[in-house]
Each structure stands twice: as C-alpha cells, then as structure tokens.
Amino acid sequence: SQQGEEDPQALSIQEGENATMNCSYKTSINNLQWYRQNSGRGLVHLILIRSNEREKHSGRLRVTLDTSKKSSSLLITASRAADTASYFCATRGNNRLAFGKGNQVVVIP
Amino acid sequence: DTAVSQTPKYLVTQMGNDKSIKCEQNLGHDTMYWYKQDSKKFLKIMFSYNNKELIINETVPNRFSPKSPDKAHLNLHINSLELGDSAVYFCASSPLGTQNEQYFGPGTRLTVT
C-alpha cells in the first residue's frame, strides 16, 4: 500500500529560518496533501497538490511534487514559533488517504 | 461553530469494558472517517462512510463497530476493550468523497487500564 514517508523525522530551527521536509511514496497517486498537527490537536489541512502539478504555493508554504521520483517537499519560509507542530504528508490513492509518519518541527523563538 | 466535534475528549476505562465515541460534523460533507493514531503518531484509517454507507473497512477487529445514523454523524463503538486499543481516535470528514482535503476533529484520547 502507498504510504508517505517524511524525512527528516525531527527538525529544530530558529525563528525566521526556512524549514524543509520531504516525503516519498511508493505507488501512483491522484494527489498529495500536507497536514499540520499541533500538540494535542487534530490535523489541519495545509495544501493539496495534484499529480499533474509540479509546484504550489499558499502563503508561506511551498510544495513541490516530482512524480518521476515519487517525492514531495514542503517548504515553510520565514518560520514562526507558531509553526511548531508535526507535519504529515498524505497520498491519495486506492480510495483513501495514506498518511506518513510525520515530521516534528520545533521553531525556537 | 466547531466544524468536526468529538465526544468525549478523554476516555479512561478498564479492560473488558464497552465504550462509544461520538462524532458530528456541520460542514455538510458526505464522507466521514475514523482514524487511529498510536503513540508514535502513526495515523491509520479504520473506517469510512459515504452518506451513511460503509465504503472503507480496514483490517480492524470486529470489536470495533461504526454506526452512521445520518450523514452528519459517525459514532464508534468498541466492545471488550484491550490495552492495545489505547490511542487517540480521530474523526474526520471530507466533501465529495475521499480524494479531497479532510477536516479533522480534536481527537479522543482513549486509555485502557
């Protein structure tokens, strides 16, 4: 079954720096989505990129998708303390979303 | 005005008991889900309903039984609770099927002692 695998697993950065996370998957997808989970909360959808798209922006977020390498990256620019959270990629295929293990990002004020 | 709500938020119970978790969404979505998140934050789908009809039923013990009385509600009943059932359970909903973004509830932390 397809499953996003984020890399790196944990990231600690200073406020104002950029944070980059990668995700790889194994099978064909319809789309790939990124979610954020703050501690003790539910997941919040951030951005969706379709399989025929290569890059997408939303505010300080930039997502890329390389279907030939079956990988995606999420870039958060000018990070803020409030960006501290776990970030999950999820691949849509086989009538369901399959979530990766998540990246813990800590932004130090 | 919460979009997806779950009750209770915390549930502590003993092995062998039966418990239910309720979920409601006021977004008008047709599709609802139950996920289980383990202690390592791995999120796995358990069930999905589309307009009250079961469309995804992952390999979940039959002690878990979802019920959807209408398309805005999806409840989860668990019989004979086991220690391994301890986890955070999330309800979610999405518009127009499973390929769109999903909206998650706040989660129910279940602890079985």
Side-chain angles (χ1 to χ4, degrees):
Chain A
S1 62
Q2 53 190 255
Q3 186 166 337
E5 298 265 347
E6 292 86 4
D7 175 86
Q9 299 293 307
L11 185 64
S12 225
I13 56 174
Q14 295 288 332
E15 200 166 30
E17 292 181 339
N18 295 342
T20 300
M21 287 154 272
N22 298 309
C23 168
S24 60
Y25 56 92
K26 294 177 179 158
T27 61
S28 299
I29 61 171
N30 295 100
N31 64 56
L32 185 143
Q33 304 177 27
W34 285 91
Y35 289 78
R36 183 188 74 231
Q37 184 179 30
N38 292 93
S39 181
R41 309 287 287 273
L43 279 74
V44 174
H45 180 261
L46 295 176
I47 195 163
L48 181 155
I49 186 165
R50 292 186 168 76
S51 59
N52 61 354
E53 296 176 309
R54 291 297 165 257
E55 188 172 312
K56 204 160 182 181
H57 296 254
S58 176
R60 294 183 296 111
L61 303 179
R62 174 177 166 252
V63 170
T64 62
L65 179 64
D66 186 336
T67 52
S68 66
K69 294 181 180 176
K70 291 186 167 58
S71 68
S72 172
S73 68
L74 172 67
L75 168 68
I76 306 173
T77 60
S79 63
R80 304 168 182 169
D83 294 329
T84 294
S86 292
Y87 292 83
F88 294 83
C89 74
T91 49
R92 182 349 183 139
N94 196 24
N95 204 31
R96 68 201 63 197
L97 278 184
F99 284 83
K101 295 176 185 173
N103 267 288
Q104 175 65 42
V105 174
V106 175
V107 181
I108 303 163
Chain B
D1 60 345
T2 306
V4 182
S5 60
Q6 294 178 228
T7 54
K9 188 164 173 61
Y10 300 97
L11 189 51
V12 181
T13 188
Q14 291 184 326
M15 283 175 56
N17 284 349
D18 304 339
K19 290 292 178 187
S20 291
I21 307 172
K22 295 186 177 182
C23 177
E24 177 181 1
Q25 54 96 3
N26 62 5
L27 296 165
H29 292 164
D30 287 310
T31 310
M32 295 184 72
Y33 314 81
W34 277 110
Y35 287 90
K36 178 180 179 181
Q37 186 174 46
D38 64 22
S39 58
K40 295 182 179 177
K41 292 199 170 182
F42 182 60
L43 197 69
K44 187 170 160 65
I45 189 164
M46 300 173 70
F47 302 103
S48 174
Y49 270 73
N50 189 53
N51 206 9
K52 302 195 299 175
E53 189 178 330
L54 182 66
I55 55 171
I56 294 174
N57 184 353
E58 285 295 281
T59 308
V60 176
N62 57 16
R63 299 181 294 104
F64 290 78
S65 52
K67 281 191 173 54
S68 182
D70 55 62
K71 74 173 196 176
H73 295 85
L74 180 62
N75 303 323
L76 183 65
H77 187 76
I78 316 169
N79 289 326
S80 303
L81 278 154
E82 300 176 357
L83 293 176
D85 298 332
S86 295
V88 182
Y89 292 85
F90 287 98
C91 175
S93 71
S94 70
L96 300 172
T98 59
Q99 59 185 311
N100 296 297
E101 66 271 23
Q102 296 186 7
Y103 295 75
F104 282 76
T108 295
R109 182 174 292 277
L110 171 65
T111 303
V112 183
T113 61

